[in-house]
Amino acid sequence: MINTGKIALLIAFALPVVGFAQQNYTIDGQIGKLNKPAKAYLRYKIEGKEIIDSTFVNNGKFSFKGTIPSPMEGAIRVAHDNKPEDPKAPRQWDLFPFFIEGADIKIVATDSIKNATISGSPLNEENQKVNTMLAPIYAQYEELNKEYASKPMAEQQNPKYLQSLEDRAATIQKQTEDAKLGYISKSPKSYMALMALSSILGDGFDAVGLEKVFLGLDGSLRNTELGRKVAERIGQVKKTQEGVEAPDFTQPDVDGNPVKLSDFRGKYVLLDFWASWCAPCRRENPNLVKSYAQYKDRGFEILGVSMDKATDKAKWLKAIQDDGLTWKQVGDLKGWDNEAGALYEVKAIPMNYLIDPEGKIIAKYLRGEELDNKLVEIFGK
Protein backbone atom coordinates (compact mmCIF):
# COMPACT_ATOMS: atom_id res chain seq x y z
CA MET A 1 0.00 0.00 0.00
CA ILE A 2 2.78 2.41 0.95
CA ASN A 3 5.55 3.14 -1.55
CA THR A 4 8.67 2.34 0.40
CA GLY A 5 10.85 4.64 -1.68
CA LYS A 6 13.44 1.88 -1.92
CA ILE A 7 15.61 1.68 -5.00
CA ALA A 8 14.36 -1.22 -7.10
CA LEU A 9 17.65 -3.07 -7.23
CA LEU A 10 20.18 -1.57 -4.83
CA ILE A 11 20.58 1.30 -2.41
CA ALA A 12 22.20 4.15 -4.32
CA PHE A 13 25.42 4.38 -2.35
CA ALA A 14 28.93 2.89 -2.53
CA LEU A 15 32.62 3.63 -2.19
CA PRO A 16 34.09 6.46 -4.26
CA VAL A 17 35.08 5.55 -7.78
CA VAL A 18 37.54 7.85 -9.56
CA GLY A 19 37.67 7.76 -13.36
CA PHE A 20 35.53 5.68 -15.65
CA ALA A 21 37.62 4.27 -18.46
CA GLN A 22 36.63 0.86 -19.80
CA GLN A 23 36.63 -1.59 -16.92
CA ASN A 24 37.35 -5.29 -17.08
CA TYR A 25 35.45 -7.50 -14.69
CA THR A 26 35.57 -11.14 -13.68
CA ILE A 27 32.79 -12.88 -11.80
CA ASP A 28 33.53 -16.24 -10.20
CA GLY A 29 30.53 -17.99 -8.71
CA GLN A 30 29.95 -21.04 -6.56
CA ILE A 31 26.50 -22.46 -5.86
CA GLY A 32 26.83 -25.67 -3.87
CA LYS A 33 27.64 -28.70 -6.02
CA LEU A 34 25.16 -27.85 -8.78
CA ASN A 35 25.91 -29.35 -12.21
CA LYS A 36 24.52 -29.43 -15.73
CA PRO A 37 21.91 -28.79 -16.96
CA ALA A 38 21.98 -25.95 -14.41
CA LYS A 39 22.92 -22.69 -16.10
CA ALA A 40 23.87 -19.18 -14.92
CA TYR A 41 22.77 -16.08 -16.82
CA LEU A 42 24.37 -12.65 -16.39
CA ARG A 43 22.22 -9.68 -17.43
CA TYR A 44 22.88 -5.93 -17.58
CA LYS A 45 22.22 -3.01 -19.93
CA ILE A 46 24.51 -0.66 -21.84
CA GLU A 47 22.91 2.34 -23.59
CA GLY A 48 19.53 0.66 -23.25
CA LYS A 49 20.69 -2.55 -24.93
CA GLU A 50 20.34 -5.67 -22.79
CA ILE A 51 23.50 -7.76 -22.54
CA ILE A 52 23.00 -11.44 -21.70
CA ASP A 53 25.82 -13.89 -21.09
CA SER A 54 25.35 -17.49 -20.00
CA THR A 55 27.36 -20.50 -18.93
CA PHE A 56 26.72 -23.97 -17.55
CA VAL A 57 27.35 -24.61 -13.87
CA ASN A 58 30.00 -27.30 -13.35
CA ASN A 59 30.48 -28.77 -9.88
CA GLY A 60 28.84 -25.64 -8.51
CA LYS A 61 31.20 -23.28 -10.32
CA PHE A 62 30.54 -20.69 -13.03
CA SER A 63 32.49 -17.72 -14.35
CA PHE A 64 31.96 -14.58 -16.45
CA LYS A 65 34.43 -12.07 -17.89
CA GLY A 66 33.77 -8.86 -19.76
CA THR A 67 34.23 -5.13 -20.19
CA ILE A 68 31.90 -2.33 -19.15
CA PRO A 69 32.17 1.46 -19.64
CA SER A 70 31.47 2.21 -15.96
CA PRO A 71 30.03 0.53 -12.86
CA MET A 72 26.44 -0.56 -13.40
CA GLU A 73 23.61 -2.64 -12.04
CA GLY A 74 23.38 -6.25 -13.08
CA ALA A 75 21.92 -9.56 -11.98
CA ILE A 76 22.73 -13.25 -12.15
CA ARG A 77 19.93 -15.75 -12.61
CA VAL A 78 20.47 -19.46 -12.07
CA ALA A 79 18.25 -21.96 -13.85
CA HIS A 80 18.54 -25.16 -11.82
CA ASP A 81 17.23 -27.39 -14.61
CA ASN A 82 16.39 -27.23 -18.30
CA LYS A 83 12.64 -27.59 -17.98
CA PRO A 84 10.77 -25.22 -20.31
CA GLU A 85 8.91 -22.34 -18.72
CA ASP A 86 5.18 -22.90 -18.29
CA PRO A 87 3.30 -19.60 -18.89
CA LYS A 88 0.38 -20.95 -16.85
CA ALA A 89 2.57 -21.74 -13.86
CA PRO A 90 5.62 -19.46 -13.97
CA ARG A 91 8.41 -20.30 -11.58
CA GLN A 92 10.02 -17.74 -9.31
CA TRP A 93 13.46 -16.89 -10.65
CA ASP A 94 16.53 -17.61 -8.56
CA LEU A 95 18.03 -14.13 -8.92
CA PHE A 96 20.89 -12.17 -7.35
CA PRO A 97 21.13 -8.42 -8.08
CA PHE A 98 24.46 -6.66 -7.58
CA PHE A 99 26.83 -3.99 -8.94
CA ILE A 100 29.21 -4.91 -11.75
CA GLU A 101 32.51 -3.04 -11.65
CA GLY A 102 36.12 -3.46 -12.74
CA ALA A 103 37.07 -6.00 -10.09
CA ASP A 104 37.45 -9.72 -9.38
CA ILE A 105 34.03 -10.40 -7.92
CA LYS A 106 33.18 -13.59 -6.06
CA ILE A 107 29.59 -14.75 -5.47
CA VAL A 108 29.02 -17.79 -3.23
CA ALA A 109 25.83 -19.62 -2.27
CA THR A 110 25.11 -23.01 -0.77
CA ASP A 111 21.83 -23.75 -2.54
CA SER A 112 20.18 -20.67 -4.05
CA ILE A 113 21.88 -17.72 -5.73
CA LYS A 114 19.35 -15.34 -4.15
CA ASN A 115 20.96 -16.16 -0.77
CA ALA A 116 24.51 -15.58 -2.00
CA THR A 117 27.26 -13.54 -0.37
CA ILE A 118 29.52 -11.31 -2.44
CA SER A 119 33.16 -10.31 -1.96
CA GLY A 120 36.00 -8.66 -3.85
CA SER A 121 33.83 -5.67 -4.83
CA PRO A 122 34.07 -2.41 -2.87
CA LEU A 123 30.83 -1.16 -4.40
CA ASN A 124 28.79 -4.12 -3.24
CA GLU A 125 30.46 -4.25 0.16
CA GLU A 126 29.67 -0.58 0.81
CA ASN A 127 26.16 -1.07 -0.49
CA GLN A 128 25.57 -3.72 2.17
CA LYS A 129 26.77 -1.33 4.88
CA VAL A 130 24.49 1.46 3.72
CA ASN A 131 21.54 -0.95 3.48
CA THR A 132 22.08 -1.58 7.17
CA MET A 133 22.39 2.13 7.88
CA LEU A 134 19.11 2.97 6.13
CA ALA A 135 17.20 -0.01 7.50
CA PRO A 136 15.70 1.97 10.42
CA ILE A 137 14.22 4.50 7.98
CA TYR A 138 12.74 1.80 5.76
CA ALA A 139 11.39 0.03 8.85
CA GLN A 140 9.08 2.99 9.33
CA TYR A 141 7.38 2.14 6.03
CA GLU A 142 6.87 -1.41 7.20
CA GLU A 143 5.25 -0.14 10.38
CA LEU A 144 2.83 1.96 8.32
CA ASN A 145 1.91 -1.07 6.26
CA LYS A 146 1.33 -3.16 9.39
CA GLU A 147 -0.79 -0.41 10.90
CA TYR A 148 -2.89 -0.17 7.75
CA ALA A 149 -3.36 -3.95 7.59
CA SER A 150 -4.51 -4.02 11.22
CA LYS A 151 -7.32 -1.52 10.66
CA PRO A 152 -10.90 -2.59 9.92
CA MET A 153 -12.12 -2.11 6.35
CA ALA A 154 -14.09 1.02 7.21
CA GLU A 155 -11.00 2.70 8.61
CA GLN A 156 -8.89 1.59 5.62
CA GLN A 157 -11.32 3.45 3.37
CA ASN A 158 -11.53 6.55 5.54
CA PRO A 159 -10.16 9.51 3.53
CA LYS A 160 -8.75 11.27 6.59
CA TYR A 161 -6.91 8.15 7.71
CA LEU A 162 -5.54 7.49 4.23
CA GLN A 163 -4.37 11.08 4.03
CA SER A 164 -2.58 10.69 7.35
CA LEU A 165 -0.78 7.63 5.99
CA GLU A 166 0.27 9.52 2.88
CA ASP A 167 1.51 12.43 4.97
CA ARG A 168 3.58 10.16 7.21
CA ALA A 169 4.96 8.29 4.22
CA ALA A 170 5.98 11.62 2.69
CA THR A 171 7.88 12.47 5.88
CA ILE A 172 9.77 9.18 5.69
CA GLN A 173 10.53 9.77 2.03
CA LYS A 174 11.98 13.17 2.94
CA GLN A 175 14.23 11.51 5.52
CA THR A 176 15.43 9.07 2.87
CA GLU A 177 16.14 11.81 0.35
CA ASP A 178 17.98 13.89 2.93
CA ALA A 179 20.21 10.91 3.73
CA LYS A 180 21.05 10.45 0.05
CA LEU A 181 21.71 14.17 -0.48
CA GLY A 182 24.01 14.10 2.54
CA TYR A 183 25.98 11.29 0.95
CA ILE A 184 26.18 13.10 -2.40
CA SER A 185 27.58 16.27 -0.80
CA LYS A 186 30.34 14.25 0.90
CA SER A 187 31.19 12.05 -2.13
CA PRO A 188 31.04 14.17 -5.32
CA LYS A 189 33.45 11.82 -7.13
CA SER A 190 31.56 8.64 -6.26
CA TYR A 191 29.63 6.90 -9.00
CA MET A 192 27.14 5.88 -6.34
CA ALA A 193 26.53 9.56 -5.57
CA LEU A 194 25.21 9.74 -9.12
CA MET A 195 23.12 6.64 -8.44
CA ALA A 196 21.74 8.30 -5.32
CA LEU A 197 20.83 11.43 -7.26
CA SER A 198 19.14 9.40 -9.98
CA SER A 199 17.03 7.57 -7.39
CA ILE A 200 15.45 10.78 -6.05
CA LEU A 201 14.37 12.20 -9.42
CA GLY A 202 10.80 11.13 -8.75
CA ASP A 203 7.58 12.94 -9.49
CA GLY A 204 7.57 16.61 -8.54
CA PHE A 205 11.28 16.94 -7.68
CA ASP A 206 13.02 20.32 -7.59
CA ALA A 207 14.79 20.34 -10.96
CA VAL A 208 16.53 23.66 -10.38
CA GLY A 209 17.85 22.61 -6.98
CA LEU A 210 18.94 19.14 -8.08
CA GLU A 211 20.58 20.54 -11.20
CA LYS A 212 22.96 22.38 -8.86
CA VAL A 213 23.62 19.10 -7.06
CA PHE A 214 24.27 17.39 -10.41
CA LEU A 215 26.69 20.11 -11.55
CA GLY A 216 28.56 19.66 -8.26
CA LEU A 217 29.43 16.09 -9.21
CA ASP A 218 32.74 15.25 -10.83
CA GLY A 219 32.78 15.70 -14.61
CA SER A 220 33.65 12.05 -15.15
CA LEU A 221 30.35 11.15 -13.48
CA ARG A 222 28.29 13.57 -15.54
CA ASN A 223 29.69 12.10 -18.76
CA THR A 224 28.69 8.50 -18.02
CA GLU A 225 25.60 6.91 -19.55
CA LEU A 226 23.73 7.37 -16.27
CA GLY A 227 25.00 10.94 -15.99
CA ARG A 228 23.58 11.79 -19.40
CA LYS A 229 20.23 10.26 -18.44
CA VAL A 230 20.13 12.27 -15.22
CA ALA A 231 20.93 15.48 -17.12
CA GLU A 232 18.19 14.73 -19.63
CA ARG A 233 15.66 14.02 -16.88
CA ILE A 234 16.51 17.23 -15.03
CA GLY A 235 16.35 19.26 -18.24
CA GLN A 236 12.93 17.86 -19.10
CA VAL A 237 11.47 18.57 -15.67
CA LYS A 238 12.93 22.10 -15.69
CA LYS A 239 10.52 22.84 -18.53
CA THR A 240 7.67 22.59 -16.02
CA GLN A 241 9.51 24.07 -13.04
CA GLU A 242 7.95 26.91 -11.10
CA GLY A 243 8.64 30.25 -12.80
CA VAL A 244 8.74 28.97 -16.38
CA GLU A 245 6.04 29.35 -19.03
CA ALA A 246 3.68 26.38 -19.00
CA PRO A 247 4.07 24.31 -22.19
CA ASP A 248 0.95 24.68 -24.32
CA PHE A 249 -1.03 21.74 -25.67
CA THR A 250 -4.36 20.94 -27.27
CA GLN A 251 -6.60 17.98 -26.36
CA PRO A 252 -10.24 17.10 -27.04
CA ASP A 253 -12.88 17.63 -24.38
CA VAL A 254 -15.60 15.11 -23.52
CA ASP A 255 -17.47 16.08 -26.69
CA GLY A 256 -14.42 15.88 -28.94
CA ASN A 257 -13.89 19.63 -29.22
CA PRO A 258 -10.28 20.85 -29.13
CA VAL A 259 -9.22 22.80 -26.04
CA LYS A 260 -5.93 24.65 -25.63
CA LEU A 261 -4.28 25.33 -22.32
CA SER A 262 -3.54 28.83 -23.61
CA ASP A 263 -7.30 29.39 -23.93
CA PHE A 264 -7.21 30.05 -20.18
CA ARG A 265 -4.77 32.98 -20.34
CA GLY A 266 -5.92 35.83 -18.13
CA LYS A 267 -7.00 33.51 -15.32
CA TYR A 268 -5.33 31.38 -12.71
CA VAL A 269 -5.75 27.80 -13.88
CA LEU A 270 -5.05 24.57 -12.05
CA LEU A 271 -3.90 21.96 -14.56
CA ASP A 272 -5.03 18.72 -12.92
CA PHE A 273 -3.87 15.29 -14.13
CA TRP A 274 -6.12 12.51 -12.83
CA ALA A 275 -8.00 9.32 -13.83
CA SER A 276 -11.25 7.60 -12.97
CA TRP A 277 -9.39 4.57 -11.56
CA CYS A 278 -7.06 6.64 -9.34
CA ALA A 279 -8.30 6.41 -5.73
CA PRO A 280 -6.14 9.29 -4.40
CA CYS A 281 -7.42 11.44 -7.29
CA ARG A 282 -11.01 10.66 -6.45
CA ARG A 283 -10.37 11.44 -2.78
CA GLU A 284 -8.94 14.80 -3.78
CA ASN A 285 -11.84 15.72 -6.07
CA PRO A 286 -14.13 16.97 -3.25
CA ASN A 287 -11.43 19.46 -2.28
CA LEU A 288 -11.23 20.68 -5.87
CA VAL A 289 -15.01 21.00 -6.07
CA LYS A 290 -14.99 23.14 -2.94
CA SER A 291 -12.13 25.35 -4.17
CA TYR A 292 -13.68 25.78 -7.60
CA ALA A 293 -17.04 26.84 -6.15
CA GLN A 294 -15.32 29.37 -3.92
CA TYR A 295 -13.03 31.00 -6.49
CA LYS A 296 -14.44 30.36 -9.98
CA ASP A 297 -16.05 33.82 -10.10
CA ARG A 298 -12.80 35.47 -9.01
CA GLY A 299 -10.58 34.36 -11.89
CA PHE A 300 -9.86 30.75 -11.00
CA GLU A 301 -10.30 27.83 -13.42
CA ILE A 302 -9.43 24.15 -13.45
CA LEU A 303 -8.51 22.11 -16.52
CA GLY A 304 -8.72 18.39 -15.88
CA VAL A 305 -6.57 16.07 -18.01
CA SER A 306 -7.60 12.41 -17.99
CA MET A 307 -4.98 9.66 -17.87
CA ASP A 308 -7.69 7.11 -18.71
CA LYS A 309 -7.55 4.80 -21.71
CA ALA A 310 -10.08 4.81 -24.55
CA THR A 311 -11.57 1.58 -23.20
CA ASP A 312 -12.34 3.43 -19.95
CA LYS A 313 -14.00 6.47 -21.50
CA ALA A 314 -17.40 5.57 -20.01
CA LYS A 315 -15.79 5.26 -16.55
CA TRP A 316 -14.12 8.65 -17.04
CA LEU A 317 -17.41 10.32 -17.96
CA LYS A 318 -19.19 8.63 -15.04
CA ALA A 319 -16.48 9.77 -12.60
CA ILE A 320 -16.88 13.34 -13.82
CA GLN A 321 -20.61 13.15 -13.13
CA ASP A 322 -20.37 11.21 -9.86
CA ASP A 323 -17.73 13.58 -8.42
CA GLY A 324 -19.52 16.73 -9.59
CA LEU A 325 -16.64 18.06 -11.68
CA THR A 326 -18.13 21.03 -13.50
CA TRP A 327 -14.94 22.43 -14.99
CA LYS A 328 -13.48 21.62 -18.41
CA GLN A 329 -12.19 18.08 -18.88
CA VAL A 330 -9.93 16.92 -21.72
CA GLY A 331 -8.05 13.77 -22.63
CA ASP A 332 -6.60 11.94 -25.63
CA LEU A 333 -7.47 8.67 -23.84
CA LYS A 334 -4.02 7.17 -24.32
CA GLY A 335 -3.59 6.27 -20.66
CA TRP A 336 -0.07 6.85 -19.40
CA ASP A 337 0.91 7.77 -22.96
CA ASN A 338 -1.24 10.89 -22.76
CA GLU A 339 0.68 13.49 -24.76
CA ALA A 340 0.07 16.29 -22.26
CA GLY A 341 1.14 13.98 -19.46
CA ALA A 342 4.37 13.21 -21.31
CA LEU A 343 4.94 16.94 -21.93
CA TYR A 344 4.63 17.61 -18.20
CA GLU A 345 6.61 14.53 -17.14
CA VAL A 346 3.66 13.08 -15.23
CA LYS A 347 4.82 9.81 -13.65
CA ALA A 348 2.18 9.54 -10.93
CA ILE A 349 -1.24 10.98 -10.23
CA PRO A 350 -2.82 13.05 -8.87
CA MET A 351 -0.46 15.72 -10.17
CA ASN A 352 -1.25 19.35 -10.79
CA TYR A 353 0.28 22.68 -11.80
CA LEU A 354 -1.02 26.13 -10.87
CA ILE A 355 -0.56 28.58 -13.75
CA ASP A 356 -0.88 32.37 -13.44
CA PRO A 357 -2.76 34.68 -15.86
CA GLU A 358 0.45 35.22 -17.89
CA GLY A 359 0.82 31.48 -18.42
CA LYS A 360 3.66 30.85 -15.98
CA ILE A 361 3.78 27.94 -13.54
CA ILE A 362 3.72 29.33 -10.01
CA ALA A 363 3.21 26.14 -7.98
CA LYS A 364 2.66 22.42 -8.42
CA TYR A 365 1.42 19.35 -6.57
CA LEU A 366 -1.02 21.36 -4.49
CA ARG A 367 -3.41 19.19 -2.51
CA GLY A 368 -5.92 19.79 0.27
CA GLU A 369 -4.88 22.60 2.57
CA GLU A 370 -1.89 23.48 0.40
CA LEU A 371 -4.20 24.42 -2.47
CA ASP A 372 -6.54 26.28 -0.11
CA ASN A 373 -3.66 28.27 1.34
CA LYS A 374 -2.30 29.15 -2.10
CA LEU A 375 -5.69 30.35 -3.34
CA VAL A 376 -6.17 32.44 -0.19
CA GLU A 377 -2.75 33.94 -0.83
CA ILE A 378 -3.82 34.87 -4.38
CA PHE A 379 -7.43 35.89 -3.93
CA GLY A 380 -7.76 36.57 -0.21
CA LYS A 381 -10.43 35.01 1.97
Side-chain angles (χ1 to χ4, degrees):
M1 195 288 271
I2 299 297
N3 181 351
T4 64
K6 294 182 180 179
I7 300 172
L9 178 60
L10 298 161
I11 304 303
F13 298 92
L15 288 177
V17 182
V18 181
F20 298 105
Q22 291 287 313
Q23 300 187 5
N24 297 319
Y25 67 83
T26 62
I27 301 170
D28 291 316
Q30 177 79 46
I31 178 166
K33 300 296 182 180
L34 207 59
N35 276 297
K36 293 182 181 181
K39 204 169 187 180
Y41 296 84
L42 173 66
R43 295 171 180 254
Y44 56 93
K45 287 185 178 181
I46 297 179
E47 299 290 347
K49 181 180 179 181
E50 187 172 46
I51 309 298
I52 302 176
D53 196 0
S54 65
T55 184
F56 283 108
V57 180
N58 185 20
N59 196 28
K61 299 181 184 296
F62 62 87
S63 180
F64 295 103
K65 293 183 180 181
T67 302
I68 51 176
S70 64
M72 59 185 55
E73 295 166 304
I76 289 178
R77 176 202 171 198
V78 173
H80 290 245
D81 54 51
N82 59 0
K83 295 179 181 179
E85 292 289 338
D86 183 358
K88 296 182 180 180
R91 291 181 290 176
Q92 186 174 3
W93 282 9
D94 188 10
L95 195 70
F96 182 73
F98 67 111
F99 284 117
I100 305 175
E101 63 170 323
D104 296 325
I105 303 171
K106 291 180 171 54
I107 298 175
V108 179
T110 57
D111 53 1
S112 173
I113 197 72
K114 67 180 180 182
N115 299 322
T117 59
I118 188 167
S119 61
S121 168
L123 297 182
N124 289 286
E125 291 171 7
E126 184 66 11
N127 177 70
Q128 292 171 354
K129 294 178 183 178
V130 177
N131 272 332
T132 301
M133 180 187 71
L134 292 180
I137 298 178
Y138 291 150
Q140 296 178 62
Y141 284 113
E142 299 304 324
E143 289 302 315
L144 285 187
N145 282 321
K146 290 179 181 178
E147 176 188 316
Y148 174 80
S150 69
K151 298 293 184 181
M153 183 64 68
E155 185 70 4
Q156 289 181 355
Q157 296 176 346
N158 185 301
K160 289 185 178 180
Y161 174 66
L162 291 174
Q163 185 62 55
S164 76
L165 283 180
E166 291 179 11
D167 291 344
R168 284 182 283 166
T171 299
I172 300 169
Q173 181 179 354
K174 179 68 165 52
Q175 293 177 22
T176 305
E177 291 179 358
D178 287 345
K180 294 175 183 179
L181 288 171
Y183 174 81
I184 295 169
S185 67
K186 295 177 182 178
S187 308
K189 294 185 178 182
S190 166
Y191 182 82
M192 292 305 121
L194 179 62
M195 288 284 292
L197 178 57
S198 176
S199 74
I200 60 178
L201 301 184
D203 189 65
F205 73 87
D206 177 10
V208 173
L210 291 186
E211 182 179 50
K212 295 177 182 178
V213 175
F214 176 72
L215 293 176
L217 294 176
D218 190 80
S220 62
L221 292 172
R222 301 197 303 270
N223 290 325
T224 62
E225 176 186 352
L226 180 58
R228 293 191 296 273
K229 289 180 179 179
V230 168
E232 181 181 356
R233 169 83 171 132
I234 291 174
Q236 180 65 33
V237 174
K238 272 187 67 179
K239 295 178 182 178
T240 57
Q241 190 73 36
E242 295 174 21
V244 305
E245 184 173 338
D248 200 11
F249 64 88
T250 303
Q251 292 211 348
D253 64 13
V254 295
D255 298 316
N257 300 314
V259 176
K260 287 185 177 181
L261 174 62
S262 55
D263 292 342
F264 295 83
R265 287 289 175 90
K267 294 186 176 183
Y268 287 90
V269 57
L270 185 73
L271 179 61
D272 179 45
F273 292 91
W274 73 291
S276 64
W277 47 262
C278 169
C281 303
R282 303 294 296 275
R283 291 199 300 271
E284 185 64 20
N285 279 343
N287 296 326
L288 297 183
V289 170
K290 179 182 176 181
S291 296
Y292 187 62
Q294 187 171 357
Y295 295 102
K296 66 178 181 179
D297 295 328
R298 302 173 65 181
F300 177 60
E301 277 293 343
I302 301 177
L303 176 60
V305 180
S306 171
M307 303 297 283
D308 286 284
K309 296 180 180 179
T311 52
D312 292 328
K313 182 176 182 179
K315 294 179 182 178
W316 171 44
L317 298 179
K318 186 176 186 299
I320 293 172
Q321 182 177 11
D322 290 348
D323 292 1
L325 312 183
T326 57
W327 51 86
K328 185 66 72 173
Q329 297 284 342
V330 300
D332 58 17
L333 298 179
K334 296 180 180 179
W336 284 110
D337 293 325
N338 181 288
E339 293 180 8
L343 185 63
Y344 280 79
E345 282 284 302
V346 175
K347 304 297 183 183
I349 52 177
M351 183 65 194
N352 59 41
Y353 297 84
L354 185 61
I355 302 167
D356 72 9
E358 288 71 46
K360 290 186 177 180
I361 297 172
I362 59 173
K364 57 185 179 180
Y365 202 61
L366 297 172
R367 299 175 63 184
E369 291 185 3
E370 291 180 342
L371 177 59
D372 292 340
N373 293 338
K374 190 66 178 181
L375 294 177
V376 169
E377 177 187 320
I378 293 170
F379 297 107
K381 292 186 178 180

